[in-house]
């Protein structure tokens, strides 16, 4: 895994933006989606789309599974 220009890149997965990583870290800390929106300084729609995108990228069933998969891959 390498880090270039603020994005986390792993050969098995598309690069994650700094916002993706921030959202994953906040979810891992137990933040609700509404709290993530405030901490990430983004709107509800953007945060929701990012979480859905991350779930698809990591093959997660739900947010709990998303955090587990992110931890397995060393993303949080």
């Amino acid at each position: 895994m390498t880090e270039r220009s603020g994005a986390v890149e792993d050969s098995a997965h598309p690069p994650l933006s700094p916002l993706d990583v921030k959202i994953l870290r906040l979810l891992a800390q137990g933040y609700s989606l509404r709290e993530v929106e405030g901490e990430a300084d983004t709107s509800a729609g953007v945060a929701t789309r990012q979480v859905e995108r991350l779930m698809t990228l990591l093959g997660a069933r739900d947010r709990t599974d998303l955090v587990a998969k992110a931890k397995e891959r060393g993303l949080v």
Side-chain angles (χ1 to χ4, degrees), residues 23-41:
I23 288 173
L24 285 172
R25 288 184 179 147
L26 292 168
L27 291 174
Q29 292 173 18
Y31 283 64
S32 69
L33 192 53
R34 182 165 289 196
E35 292 169 323
V36 168
E37 295 161 7
E39 289 294 317
D41 195 31

